[in-house]
Structure formats: structure tokens, C-alpha cells
């Protein structure tokens, strides 16, 4: 069982892994975009052969340099992820419980020690059901939910944000009509339950559905 200090370090490691995964996804998207742009420039026919050679020569060097920079950043991220995962393994699996992998067989392959049936551990199935995929956008809840984006056709878990809707303005006007002039009419703007919920795709950033309160 990790101590309080180790649990704090584990939380920091998980946060660092999430940030690295986000940076890696952004770099991969940038690399894919540059590759498509490079292919388009090679296949376009709007320029003369002389101009095309000169332009391609200039742009290819720049894009190649940027692609190499992206590859280098991806390698750095992979190294950082490896260091964080190794530290996480050290915390969760101390040396006294870590199997001895120093012995090799004749083929040069690490051999794990045989675990006796007496110490075999059976992992029970999870007690909670698997998340249900919501394909009917009208049935999306107020919280993020798994669905299929209609724009990029990817299966994602939506991102949600709140925005002012008709309900907020109607409650504000009603509060003014009932004589709430001392800032009470602004209370609906601070209550999330009165605001509309917007579901967005985390990959292509397209708006999937808006849950209106009124």
C-alpha cells in the first residue's frame, strides 16, 4: 500500500503522463498535417515546372526541418514517459516484491519465476457495467458521454461546456419584474443547472449537440 507521500507522487506522475499524451497527440496531428501539405505541393499542377522546383526546394527544407524537430520532440516525450512509468513501477512494486529478471535462459530471453498455484490470484470482473455508447444525441446527459462524432466519425467521449441560454435570461427578466434589483436578478447566471450544455468532439472540436433548458 503506497504511503501518503508516494500516493501524491503517483498523482503527479499520472498528471504528467496525461500532459505528455496530449503533447504527443498534438505533435502527431501537426506531423500528419505537414505530410499532407507536402504531398499536396508535390502533386499540384498550378505552377510551372521551373517555379515548382524552386518552390518545392525552399519549402521542403523548411518542412523537413520541422518534421525532424517533431520527431525529436516525440522521442523526448517517449523518454519522459518511460522514466515516469519506471518511477511508477518502483512505487507500486518495491524491490522486495519485484521478480528476479537477471537470470537468462540459453536463448537470451528473460524468464519469470514459476508462480505456484497456491499464490495464484484470480481477478474478479469489475462490479460496474461497461459504458454505454449513446448514438441518439437527444439522450446525451449533462456530463461527458461516449458517442460517435458525426463530423470525424470517431468514437469519442465528449467534452462539455456551459453557456447562457434562454432559461437564464428568462429567469433574470422574471426576477427584475418581481423587484429583484440588488443583484439577485444575476443569480441565474451563476447557476449551472439553468445553463445550456454543449457537447463537443475532443478530436475535431466540432459541436455535437446542445442540451437546451428551454
Amino acid at each position: 500500500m503506497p504511503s501518503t507521500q508516494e500516493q501524491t507522487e503517483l498523482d503527479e506522475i499520472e498528471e504528467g503522463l496525461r500532459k505528455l499524451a496530449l503533447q504527443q497527440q498534438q505533435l502527431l496531428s501537426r506531423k500528419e498535417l505537414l505530410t499532407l501539405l507536402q504531398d499536396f505541393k508535390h502533386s499540384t499542377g498550378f505552377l510551372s515546372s521551373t517555379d515548382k522546383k524552386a518552390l518545392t526546394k525552399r519549402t521542403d527544407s523548411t518542412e523537413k526541418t520541422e518534421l525532424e524537430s517533431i520527431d525529436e520532440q516525440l522521442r523526448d516525450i517517449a523518454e519522459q514517459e518511460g522514466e515516469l512509468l519506471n518511477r511508477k513501477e518502483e512505487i507500486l512494486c518495491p524491490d522486495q516484491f519485484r521478480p528476479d529478471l537477471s537470470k537468462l535462459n540459453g536463448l537470451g530471453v528473460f524468464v519469470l519465476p514459476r508462480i505456484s498455484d497456491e499464490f495464484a490470484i484470480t481477478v474478479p470482473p469489475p462490479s460496474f457495467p461497461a459504458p454505454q455508447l449513446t448514438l441518439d444525441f437527444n439522450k446525451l446527459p449533462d456530463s461527458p458521454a461516449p458517442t460517435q462524432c458525426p463530423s470525424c466519425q470517431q468514437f469519442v467521449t465528449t467534452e462539455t461546456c456551459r453557456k447562457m441560454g434562454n432559461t437564464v435570461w428568462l429567469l433574470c427578466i422574471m426576477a427584475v419584474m418581481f423587484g429583484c434589483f440588488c443583484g439577485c436578478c444575476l443569480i441565474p447566471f451563476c447557476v449551472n443547472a439553468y445553463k445550456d450544455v454543449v457537447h463537443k468532439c475532443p478530436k475535431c472540436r466540432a459541436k455535437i449537440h446542445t442540451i437546451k433548458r428551454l
Side-chain angles (χ1 to χ4, degrees), residues 134 137-146 157-163 191-200 209-213:
T134 306
F137 299 145
N138 294 323
K139 295 182 179 179
L140 286 172
D142 294 351
S143 57
T157 299
T158 62
E159 292 181 354
T160 58
C161 62
R162 308 265 178 172
K163 73 172 187 177
V191 181
N192 287 333
Y194 299 146
K195 299 178 182 178
D196 296 344
V197 179
V198 180
H199 285 267
K200 292 183 178 181
H209 182 64
T210 301
I211 302 176
K212 297 183 178 297
R213 301 303 182 188

Side-chain angles (χ1 to χ4, degrees), residues 44-174:
T44 184
F46 295 103
L47 298 174
S48 63
S49 59
T50 305
D51 294 340
K52 185 177 179 181
K53 285 183 179 180
L55 180 60
T56 305
K57 185 177 182 181
R58 290 196 303 268
T59 55
D60 281 354
S61 61
T62 304
E63 289 169 2
K64 185 177 180 181
T65 303
E66 188 168 357
L67 287 174
E68 292 174 351
S69 175
I70 290 176
D71 290 335
E72 184 177 354
Q73 294 180 49
L74 289 174
R75 286 193 294 268
D76 293 340
I77 289 176
E79 293 178 359
Q80 295 178 28
E81 285 181 343
E83 293 175 358
L84 291 177
L85 290 175
N86 289 336
R87 179 53 185 160
K88 181 179 179 181
E89 184 180 358
E90 291 176 359
I91 297 175
L92 296 178
C93 186
D95 294 336
Q96 60 267 29
F97 299 110
R98 193 171 300 170
D100 185 10
L101 300 179
S102 59
K103 297 181 180 179
L104 301 175
N105 63 2
L107 300 177
V109 180
F110 287 111
V111 178
L112 290 171
R114 187 178 183 277
I115 301 177
S116 174
D117 295 337
E118 181 182 356
F119 300 100
I121 300 175
T122 303
V123 179
S127 57
F128 53 87
Q132 299 295 324
L133 189 66
T134 306
L135 296 179
D136 187 0
F137 299 145
N138 294 323
K139 295 182 179 179
L140 286 172
D142 294 351
S143 57
T147 186
Q148 184 179 16
C149 176
S151 298
C152 62
Q153 302 300 319
Q154 298 292 322
F155 292 96
V156 297
T157 299
T158 62
E159 292 181 354
T160 58
C161 62
R162 308 265 178 172
K163 73 172 187 177
M164 309 300 175
N166 296 332
T167 303
V168 173
W169 290 102
L170 181 61
L171 292 174
C172 179
I173 293 173
M174 291 178 61

